[in-house]
Amino acid sequence: MHEYQRQLRASRGQEPGHPGPSCSPDACKELGIGFVPWGPVGMGYLTGKIDAGTRLDPKTDLRSGFTHFSPENLAANAAVVELLRRVAEKKGATPAQIALAWLLAQKPWIVPSPGTRNPAHLEENLEAIQVQLTPTDLREIETAFSKITVRGGRMNEMQMEVVDPTE
């Protein structure tokens, strides 16, 4: 454990085994460790296969409790998926592959690890390695994304408290 993490945990009264704060990409770089973004395809949202009409079963789907997946926020955030679709069409890729390729293009120590139980999704995700985003592509994505306001949290409050007790 890095000294700053030990001190931060101690200042919060956290035990050494507590998961502690999320590690930022900058902290990971400083520590010389990789950064694995959680939910790099937005728990399925960035695939373009989930929209405001999608109903998630609260008994079987954890996402149903996330404000990000409410019908209103799914509709409000559709611009993100449309941006990925536009880039995907130009690159002969899928929206999920663009999301993963964008992460891969950020820094060599940022490594997305999308979870899936579906072999076809695994193949699709692996093909993101073949998608080459140019500096111009990256600038266009950044410019377009900066104009979008994303609504909803990535998790519900209870789960965020477990992941990062400071939020």
Side-chain angles (χ1 to χ4, degrees):
M1 179 185 320
H2 194 266
E3 181 61 17
Y4 89 90
Q5 285 180 310
R6 188 193 63 72
Q7 290 174 357
L8 183 62
R9 288 179 185 179
S11 73
R12 293 182 180 160
Q14 295 171 346
E15 298 296 320
H18 187 278
S22 299
C23 184
S24 73
D26 290 336
C28 289
K29 179 182 178 185
E30 177 187 328
L31 296 170
I33 59 176
F35 181 80
V36 181
W38 182 78
V41 291
M43 297 185 76
Y45 183 66
L46 299 179
T47 65
K49 297 173 184 164
I50 296 174
D51 61 25
T54 302
R55 297 295 173 252
L56 304 172
D57 184 349
K59 293 179 182 172
T60 61
D61 197 325
L62 182 67
R63 298 172 297 181
S64 66
F66 299 169
T67 59
H68 190 78
F69 284 92
S70 73
E72 302 80 28
N73 288 340
L74 287 171
N77 296 329
V80 175
V81 176
E82 287 310 311
L83 167 61
L84 294 174
R85 276 195 180 115
R86 286 193 306 272
V87 176
E89 286 177 18
K90 290 192 322 189
K91 294 292 183 178
T94 66
Q97 290 169 339
I98 297 302
L100 295 169
W102 180 86
L103 283 166
L104 290 167
Q106 298 307 300
K107 303 285 181 195
W109 41 267
I110 295 179
V111 183
S113 179
T116 185
R117 291 173 286 204
N118 183 314
H121 293 167
L122 175 62
E123 289 295 323
E124 176 185 352
N125 294 338
L126 289 172
E127 290 174 15
I129 296 169
Q130 305 303 320
V131 177
Q132 297 299 310
L133 296 175
T134 66
T136 301
D137 294 330
L138 294 170
R139 274 192 307 277
E140 288 175 4
I141 293 169
E142 291 291 329
T143 299
F145 190 74
S146 71
K147 297 174 183 171
I148 299 171
T149 300
V150 176
R151 291 186 30 197
R154 62 184 176 140
M155 295 180 200
N156 65 31
E157 285 183 43
M158 181 182 71
Q159 289 153 330
M160 283 305 298
E161 181 61 30
V162 171
V163 173
D164 190 352
T166 62
E167 292 193 0

